[in-house]
Every structure is written in C-alpha cells, then in structure tokens.
Amino acid sequence: MQKTQLLKKPMEGGGGDESPSRSPAGEVPAGLSSEEYEDLRPRIEAHHRYRVGPGQCSSLLAQRIKAPAATVWSVVRRFDRPQVYKHFIRSCAVKGGGEIRPGCLREVSVISGLPASTSTERLEVLDESLRVTGFTNVGGDHRLRNYRSNTTVDEVRGRGAGEGEIWAVVVESYVVDVPEGNTEDDTQLFADTVVRLNLQKLASVAEAMAAAEKRG
C-alpha cells in the first residue's frame, strides 16, 4: 500500500518569543523550570494523561505567554472561534447555534494544503473555574481519527531572578490514532507541528491583547 504522508512539507509560523515543546511522560516540558513543572504536575496528571492503546500516539506541549491567565483563557475558551489562534482553520460554525457547553458540535473548515478539508468536533469539557477545555474529533474529512485534546491555562509567578513577574502557561495535550500507512513518528510530527504553531500564535494574540489592556 502506498504511504500517504500526513506532513507533505515543513510548516512555518511565528508567535511568542518562546516556542512550545513536546514532552515525553515524566519529563519537564521545554520552557518550564523544574519548579514550575512541579507546581503544574497535579494539573498535568489530572487533565493531560491518556491511556494510549496500540496504534495510537500521544504528546504534551507547553507554551509560556507574557499575559494574564484570564486574558489567555478568554481566547482559548471560545469553542466557536478557534480560528482566532489556530492557523489552519478557515471557518467554524457551531451546530444549532445554541449555547456553548459540553456536548455541542462545531463544523470546522480547514485551509488547503493539509490532508483534511473538514472536521466535526465535540466539546468535551469547558470548566471556567479551572480553565480547562477539551474536544474530540468525531467526524469529517481528515486522517486524524479519534483525536482527543485537552488544554489548560495556568498562572505562574516567577522565582529567583524573575520573582514578582506573573505570566500564563498553556499546556495542550492529545491522543490520536496512527493512520494506516503512517508511523507513530509521522503522526506525532504532524500533530505536534500543528499544535506548536497554534500555541505560538495564541501567544502573539494574547500578548497583543494584554498590551492593549494596559494601554486602557
């Protein structure tokens, strides 16, 4: 069988001044100190660990953002407007146009150049107090089957030389089936690249919002 590449060419993107990085289970994500990771460990254990079955892969990425967590969350929580910070989404429409709550569905149209055209996604969690959201791909024309993702937003206070500074840390994780004809590495490279670019753009968007809020 001919192999269908998930990632046909390198993707480019930009954003905040620090790039998110994949972290194997138990390792400190790049960009976070060991102290920060220890502070966030309960959140990671609660929301970013999956049972990874045969033929699946999983990953976790972290992004520091120089903005209040509330500002970052105001962008991340918008299940109806992922295109604000997700590079490869052309448009999004929530089915029924009703309240945004767990169980609702959105239809996402993907830009050309990716091995996908549409995605139907179900909101699994939207916890305002804990700043946790997550969704599952349940249909559409794409190759990432059973893709499930969670995102958390936390506020971190600096220590040592950075004492007194406050910034946000976004952690995004996923588990997904490895498509037939691709390897785990292929799938993880593709999914990590998309998530990484999205988090970088989220940093740019949120930092610009925070700067505007300071200016009043």
Side-chain angles (χ1 to χ4, degrees):
M1 178 179 295
Q2 184 178 4
K3 181 176 177 179
T4 302
Q5 290 288 348
L6 280 167
L7 188 61
K8 296 180 181 179
K9 60 183 179 179
M11 297 182 186
E12 296 179 354
D17 57 1
E18 296 190 51
S19 296
S21 179
R22 173 165 53 91
S23 172
E27 292 189 13
V28 179
L32 297 182
S33 69
S34 57
E35 292 84 1
E36 290 165 349
Y37 180 63
E38 284 303 315
D39 289 343
L40 296 174
R41 184 186 291 273
R43 295 270 282 170
I44 291 172
E45 295 297 329
H47 303 292
H48 298 289
R49 297 300 185 210
Y50 307 93
R51 290 184 178 180
V52 182
Q56 291 186 314
C57 66
S58 181
S59 189
L60 179 151
L61 298 94
Q63 174 75 55
R64 273 191 185 185
I65 301 178
K66 295 177 180 178
T71 300
V72 178
W73 175 247
S74 72
V75 179
V76 172
R77 68 178 295 279
R78 292 296 299 271
F79 183 70
D80 57 332
R81 289 185 56 79
Q83 65 269 35
V84 170
Y85 75 95
K86 294 192 175 184
H87 278 276
F88 308 107
I89 295 178
R90 176 183 290 114
S91 63
C92 173
V94 175
K95 285 190 172 183
E99 180 185 358
I100 305 300
R101 55 183 174 77
C104 70
L105 299 174
R106 69 185 178 192
E107 292 286 350
V108 171
S109 175
V110 181
I111 67 171
S112 60
L114 292 179
S117 59
T118 63
S119 179
T120 304
E121 300 169 354
R122 182 177 62 226
L123 182 62
E124 301 292 355
V125 58
L126 182 63
D127 192 314
E128 302 283 0
S129 61
L130 294 179
R131 295 191 183 118
V132 180
T133 188
F135 71 92
T136 301
N137 282 1
V138 295
D141 180 16
H142 58 82
R143 301 195 72 233
L144 294 181
R145 302 300 176 188
N146 296 317
Y147 183 94
R148 179 184 174 191
S149 173
N150 279 345
T151 303
T152 54
V153 179
D154 287 279
E155 200 159 79
V156 174
R157 294 180 179 273
R159 301 179 182 180
E163 189 170 358
E165 289 188 78
I166 299 176
W167 56 86
V169 172
V170 179
V171 176
E172 183 168 345
S173 61
Y174 67 83
V175 62
V176 66
D177 293 353
V178 175
E180 184 177 356
N182 287 93
T183 67
E184 181 178 331
D185 285 345
D186 292 331
T187 307
Q188 193 162 303
L189 171 62
F190 173 76
D192 280 3
T193 300
V194 172
V195 173
R196 180 176 296 112
L197 293 178
N198 289 341
L199 290 178
Q200 289 173 348
K201 186 174 179 181
L202 173 62
S204 291
V205 170
E207 287 171 6
M209 290 173 61
E213 289 167 0
K214 283 186 177 180
R215 291 193 299 267

